Amino acid sequence: MKGSRRRFGARERFMLVLILPAFAILVAFQIVPILIGANASFRSWSLFDPQKTFVGLANYRRILADPIFYGTVLPNTLVFMVGSVTGGLVAGLGLATMLNRKFPGARLVRVGILLPLMVPPVVAAIMITWMFNDQFGVVNALLGTLGLEPVPWLVYRWTSFAIVVMTDVWLWTPWFTVLILAALQSLPLEPHEAARIDGAGPWQVFRNITLPLLRPVLMVCIVVRAIDAFRVFDIVWTITKGGPARSTEVFSIYAYKQAFVYLNFDLGTAASLIGAAIIMVVGGVLYKTLSYVVEVSR
Amino acid sequence: MSRGGSGVLAPGWGRAFFGLAITAITLLMIFPVAWMVLTAFRPASGVFYVHRGIEFTLGNFAEALAKPEMQASFVNSGVIATLATVFSLAVTITSGYMLSRFRGAASSVWFGLIYLFRCIPYITWVIPLYLLTQWMGILDTYLGLLLPHISIHICFFSWIMKGFFDGISPEMEYAAYIDGCSHWGAFFRVALPLAVPGIVALFILSWLYTWNEFLFALILTGSRTPMLTVRMAQFVNETGIEWHLMAATAVMAIGPALVVTIFAQEYVVKGLRL
């Protein structure tokens, strides 16, 4: 009895030592900063107020009452999220279906398609900015060849925004492709064969057999990417900096600008915490809805 | 084993259509990179008409690298990526192992924490991290970037490592216990060697993620420790961009990615499959 209790103790100790380093780093560099941020968000924490007076929810009220925040930033963030996830999902589904067969040069195609995933987002953003440069970019050169007027892409809100979403879709399509392709390759063969013997066409097989079987994977892809797309920063910052005239600002850019451009740490941290709360709710709802959809479709 | 089939069209046409489509998509995916590479080899005068002219040069690379700040940023990004990857893997391998092998309160609380903090946007903790590292006196130093960088992927990598260990049967470890091996002995001598392929995959991914990272580098570094991605983003916003130098720098920044995609593709795919 005594011996078994000692072994149990050793087991517990082993478990704790295994997670202790990761836990310590998580606390020191993620949890503590979030608490510091929460503290700052309840105070008047700018360069001009060394007192750091407690102001309650005033900062939150100011952010929520800011027309740029609720009128531009939040809609932009949500549109970006939906556009980027939908685009990547559709493209990834299509590509994975195409790659799920043997053909000459498949390896080469796979290298080409995987490439965007490895490219630093900042560099991708620079490449796109260069391609869409109004004077010397290849896109306008192409338009010129076709006899069309050049378009100043980054001067208008919606063309800038479309370019940013497109860049994100380009960066993340390979990720969707890899995950969906892995799922496709592990699907059972029998339902497909049975459907084909019953005379179903390729589209019907895809629509009625493949897609429902893929739902669990698609759900994971959607939730993970939606959460990541919500916090996008690098490509928006590099391509538009939130411009023209703050019209393409997303949530992370807004919080960053409050803290480091306008030097209002209090408003910046308040905005960042509001964003965190929103993504928790959106992520939770998305997860629940999609789990429900998956359950129902089974 | 082909499962797609091209039922609607005659087989020949179907295959032709498929070949055309897959070629077009592949070209579209590599076009931005290819265009940047092409630009990088054009002389300064030819850069504005990349599609015309046939002069090519290697001078852009030499010129871009001649700037001491650029050299420093390549070195810094490489050092931080390597150190952060080593430390981050060291702590997440054990954490993932624990999540995979032990059930119970401690395990589910830890998993819950990881899941929760995986969802919190980076900006929420990186703004206060500026205050924290400033207070610790390590803002704009290696340490001030390295420590937060180790923390970035704790949640995500613990999750992935759990998956790797889930795929390894614990039977061997039980056998090792019976032979008198301690917990640590079973972990180091039995489980760890079997997880090496997964760890290699994660090493590559982690290195690239850190090399590519922008937001933390932007906020936590300044002129003393220039980082590659931050320098490049500043490039774009300077008036009168020197596109030929920009392109040459970008191509060098993509270098590791190109090497990995071509030579270690299988590992990356493995790492991404969660």
Side-chain angles (χ1 to χ4, degrees), chain A residues 11 14-15 17-19 21-23 25-26 28-31 33-34 36-37 45 95 98 100-103 107 109-112 114-123 126-127 130-131 133 136 138 141 170 173-175 178-179 182 184 189 196 202 224 227-228 231 233-234 237-238 241 251-252 255-256 259-260 265 268-269 272-273 276 279-280 287, chain B residues 1-3 5 7 18 21-22 25-26 28-33 35-36 39 47-48 50-51 91 94-95 97-98 102 106 110 113 115-125 127-132 147 150-151 154-155 183-184 187 208 212 214-215 218-219 229 232-233 236-237 243 246 250 253-254 257-258 261-262 265-266 268-269 272-274:
Chain A
R11 197 182 129 93
F14 178 61
M15 270 170 66
V17 173
L18 284 178
I19 56 168
F23 181 70
I25 290 171
L26 189 73
F29 295 98
Q30 201 166 348
I31 298 180
I34 291 169
I36 296 175
W45 194 300
L95 269 176
M98 296 182 93
N100 189 28
R101 55 156 104 179
K102 279 213 169 86
F103 57 91
R107 208 190 126 73
V109 167
R110 233 165 263 167
V111 169
L114 213 57
L115 184 60
L117 192 69
M118 310 291 146
V119 170
V122 170
V123 172
I126 289 167
M127 295 186 309
W130 172 225
M131 282 169 57
N133 184 288
F136 309 111
V138 61
W170 181 78
T173 297
W175 183 82
V178 167
L179 282 159
L184 276 177
L189 282 171
R196 217 166 298 141
V224 170
I227 288 168
D228 283 353
R231 65 184 169 204
F233 181 86
D234 34 23
W237 186 252
T238 313
K241 275 212 161 189
F251 143 72
S252 289
Y256 174 85
F260 294 105
F265 266 86
T269 50
S272 77
L273 283 161
I279 191 57
M280 292 288 171
Y287 185 78
Chain B
M1 176 198 61
S2 87
R3 205 182 296 155
F18 175 81
I22 201 88
I25 294 169
T26 312
L28 201 66
M29 293 303 269
I30 60 175
F31 183 80
V33 176
W35 194 250
M36 206 59 168
T39 310
V47 84
F48 296 125
V50 178
H51 49 295
V91 302
T94 58
S95 150
Y97 181 71
M98 185 275 193
F102 296 95
W110 178 231
L113 266 184
Y115 201 81
L116 181 71
F117 282 97
R118 166 82 176 83
C119 300
I120 293 182
Y122 295 142
I123 193 80
T124 311
W125 36 297
I127 294 177
L129 257 176
Y130 177 87
L131 295 177
L132 182 68
L147 292 172
I150 298 172
S151 78
I154 292 258
C155 301
H183 282 297
W184 286 107
F187 170 64
L208 280 178
N212 295 353
F214 177 63
L215 180 59
L218 175 70
I219 290 177
T229 48
M232 297 201 61
V236 179
N237 296 307
W243 279 108
M246 176 88 241
I254 297 175
L258 280 177
T261 324
I262 294 167
Q265 206 201 124
E266 268 71 42
V268 172
V269 169
L272 288 173
R273 282 184 190 177
L274 303 168

Side-chain angles (χ1 to χ4, degrees), chain B residues 199-218:
Chain B
I199 294 172
V200 171
L202 205 53
F203 187 96
I204 294 173
L205 275 186
S206 167
W207 199 92
L208 280 178
Y209 283 152
T210 318
W211 174 268
N212 295 353
E213 204 283 329
F214 177 63
L215 180 59
F216 280 67
L218 175 70

Side-chain angles (χ1 to χ4, degrees), chain B:
Chain B
M1 176 198 61
S2 87
R3 205 182 296 155
S6 47
V8 185
L9 300 167
W13 283 108
R15 209 171 301 141
F17 176 74
F18 175 81
L20 215 62
I22 201 88
T23 312
I25 294 169
T26 312
L27 288 180
L28 201 66
M29 293 303 269
I30 60 175
F31 183 80
V33 176
W35 194 250
M36 206 59 168
V37 173
L38 192 63
T39 310
F41 286 102
R42 297 286 278 142
S45 56
V47 84
F48 296 125
Y49 300 98
V50 178
H51 49 295
R52 276 181 253 156
I54 43 152
E55 316 89 69
F56 291 98
T57 171
L58 284 171
N60 298 337
F61 293 93
E63 202 182 334
L65 268 185
K67 295 179 181 167
E69 211 192 16
M70 241 347 160
Q71 293 167 6
S73 65
F74 269 100
V75 172
N76 288 344
S77 284
V79 168
I80 295 285
T82 310
L83 290 178
T85 298
V86 168
F87 285 113
S88 164
L89 284 187
V91 302
T92 50
I93 288 169
T94 58
S95 150
Y97 181 71
M98 185 275 193
L99 285 172
S100 167
R101 291 295 185 261
F102 296 95
R103 297 282 167 270
S107 185
S108 32
V109 167
W110 178 231
F111 192 76
L113 266 184
I114 282 175
Y115 201 81
L116 181 71
F117 282 97
R118 166 82 176 83
C119 300
I120 293 182
Y122 295 142
I123 193 80
T124 311
W125 36 297
V126 76
I127 294 177
L129 257 176
Y130 177 87
L131 295 177
L132 182 68
T133 52
Q134 193 179 40
W135 175 78
M136 290 167 78
I138 54 172
L139 185 66
D140 197 11
T141 66
Y142 272 4
L143 203 59
L145 190 59
L146 181 62
L147 292 172
H149 258 299
I150 298 172
S151 78
I152 293 182
H153 297 307
I154 292 258
C155 301
F156 188 38
F157 289 175
S158 295
W159 198 7
I160 297 183
M161 281 317 300
K162 174 190 182 312
F164 285 143
F165 283 115
D166 282 346
I168 300 169
S169 160
E171 303 288 321
M172 300 268 282
E173 288 147 65
Y174 297 152
Y177 292 151
I178 292 166
D179 292 347
C181 222
S182 68
H183 282 297
W184 286 107
F187 170 64
F188 278 115
R189 297 210 198 112
V190 181
L192 204 56
L194 290 175
V196 164
I199 294 172
V200 171
L202 205 53
F203 187 96
I204 294 173
L205 275 186
S206 167
W207 199 92
L208 280 178
Y209 283 152
T210 318
W211 174 268
N212 295 353
E213 204 283 329
F214 177 63
L215 180 59
F216 280 67
L218 175 70
I219 290 177
L220 300 176
T221 65
S223 53
R224 275 190 293 158
T225 45
M227 297 294 284
L228 187 58
T229 48
V230 180
R231 276 300 303 147
M232 297 201 61
Q234 283 169 357
F235 237 134
V236 179
N237 296 307
E238 283 158 10
T239 45
I241 313 163
E242 294 161 302
W243 279 108
H244 58 297
L245 298 183
M246 176 88 241
T249 317
V251 169
M252 290 187 281
I254 297 175
L258 280 177
V259 171
V260 165
T261 324
I262 294 167
F263 296 108
Q265 206 201 124
E266 268 71 42
Y267 278 114
V268 172
V269 169
K270 190 189 211 112
L272 288 173
R273 282 184 190 177
L274 303 168

Side-chain angles (χ1 to χ4, degrees), chain A residues 40-76:
Chain A
S41 73
F42 290 117
R43 292 169 187 279
S44 175
W45 194 300
S46 64
L47 291 180
F48 317 108
D49 184 1
Q51 312 291 319
K52 307 203 180 355
T53 329
F54 185 83
V55 294
L57 291 171
N59 292 320
Y60 289 90
R61 244 178 259 128
R62 273 181 66 187
I63 296 290
L64 291 174
D66 182 355
I68 290 186
F69 188 72
Y70 65 76
T72 309
V73 171
L74 282 186
N76 279 350

